[in-house]
């Protein structure tokens, strides 16, 4: 609960968080502490990969890899689950672990894993650039990634001559033709919406009534990749969060609404 002296910078502002509330509780609490009315409407569902065998095989053979590089929080969770099933979680703890940003690093830490490297530029390309100088010749890097995700990390490593094994750790799909709660979004548009990935941008704009919201709603993107996805669809982001952490999301939402 806010103290009496706390100025609520988002007082009365409706903010759309396009994910299940249980996956975004810290963010929702911080937004509400600033006075926001939070709408949590999941636009994407995360599922196991179409073929789970490559992930299982990688988990069983973790000793082959000098580094495991994660470009998403869900990639961490999927890899930990696979390693636990394979009985190699202790091996995973001995690998060098690279995270795309502080949010992904926090998930590693929550699972008892210590990040060896956290990229200062929270994109796949930024992680590749940070990781290449740390590699020993001959090391193989494992990438547990989204089945349909971007290839920036993989391409950046391969361009530097690194041996990479990318495995599908999960896949995303639209939550439905009309997700629960979407009618409320269209009927009473939020002041801003927080976009965490290009896939979320595409899922939002594919929904009925979304195009009419673009001129009325301010978009907040996490990082340059999601910002570029918005611009490609003609929607200039009102603010860009420097990292996918709850405090950075909140500050970006404040900039978007106050600016």
């Amino acid at each position: 609960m806010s103290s009496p002296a706390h100025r609520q910078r988002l007082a009365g502002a409706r903010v759309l968080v396009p994910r299940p509330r249980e996956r975004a509780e810290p963010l929702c609490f911080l937004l509400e502490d600033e006075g926001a009315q939070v709408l949590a409407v999941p636009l994407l569902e995360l599922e196991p990969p179409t073929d789970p065998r490559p992930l299982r095989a990688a988990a069983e053979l973790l000793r082959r890899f000098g580094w495991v590089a994660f470009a998403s929080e869900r990639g961490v969770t999927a890899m930990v689950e696979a390693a636990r099933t394979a009985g190699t979680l202790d091996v995973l703890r001995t690998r060098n672990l690279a995270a795309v940003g502080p949010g992904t690093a926090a998930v590693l830490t929550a699972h008892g894993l210590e990040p060896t490297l956290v990229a200062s530029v929270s994109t796949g390309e930024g992680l590749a650039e940070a990781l290449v100088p740390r590699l020993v010749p001959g090391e193989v890097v494992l990438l547990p990634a989204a089945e349909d995700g971007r290839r920036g990390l993989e391409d950046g490593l391969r361009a530097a001559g690194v041996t990479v094994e990318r495995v599908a750790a999960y896949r995303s799909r639209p939550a439905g033709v009309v997700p629960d709660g979407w009618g409320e979004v269209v009927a009473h548009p939020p002041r801003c919406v927080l976009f965490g990935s290009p896939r979320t941008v595409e899922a939002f704009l594919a929904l009925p009534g979304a195009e009419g919201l673009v001129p009325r709603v301010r978009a907040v993107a996490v990082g340059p990749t999601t910002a570029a996805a918005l611009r490609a669809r003609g929607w200039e982001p009102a603010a860009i969060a420097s990292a996918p952490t709850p405090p950075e999301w909140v500050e970006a939402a404040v900039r978007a609404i106050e600016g």
Side-chain angles (χ1 to χ4, degrees), residues 70 76-77 80 84 89-95 97 104-116:
F70 298 99
V76 173
T77 303
V80 168
R84 184 176 289 117
L89 195 54
D90 286 342
V91 178
L92 183 60
R93 292 191 177 96
T94 68
R95 303 299 89 185
L97 306 175
T104 303
V107 177
L108 282 167
T109 302
H111 285 289
L113 301 168
E114 185 67 30
T116 310

Side-chain angles (χ1 to χ4, degrees), residues 39-213:
L39 305 172
V41 179
L43 302 186
L44 296 174
E45 291 183 357
L46 301 180
E47 299 179 337
T50 304
D51 182 359
R53 291 173 296 179
L55 178 62
R56 287 202 300 259
E60 292 168 358
L61 300 171
L62 273 173
R63 294 187 189 279
R64 290 183 51 226
F65 307 104
W67 286 80
V68 185
F70 298 99
S72 70
E73 298 174 16
R74 179 58 187 168
V76 173
T77 303
M79 186 73 252
V80 168
E81 291 172 353
R84 184 176 289 117
T85 300
T88 57
L89 195 54
D90 286 342
V91 178
L92 183 60
R93 292 191 177 96
T94 68
R95 303 299 89 185
N96 292 306
L97 306 175
V100 73
T104 303
V107 177
L108 282 167
T109 302
H111 285 289
L113 301 168
E114 185 67 30
T116 310
L117 171 67
V118 181
S120 57
V121 177
S122 297
T123 64
E125 294 83 355
L127 179 54
E129 185 176 350
L131 181 54
V132 167
R134 304 285 296 271
L135 298 175
V136 174
E139 277 188 314
V140 181
V141 179
L142 174 64
L143 306 183
E147 186 173 298
D148 49 0
R150 295 180 65 254
R151 301 273 173 166
L153 173 56
E154 179 183 5
D155 291 347
L157 292 174
R158 291 193 190 281
V162 177
T163 302
V164 175
E165 184 166 327
R166 176 190 172 109
V167 296
Y170 65 97
R171 62 191 177 102
S172 61
R173 67 174 182 84
V177 177
V178 181
D180 291 343
W182 180 251
E184 174 70 10
V185 173
V186 175
H188 304 285
R191 290 284 301 281
C192 74
V193 55
L194 310 184
F195 289 108
S197 70
R199 286 278 291 173
T200 311
V201 173
E202 294 302 319
F204 180 96
L205 292 173
L207 290 170
E211 292 292 346
L213 295 176

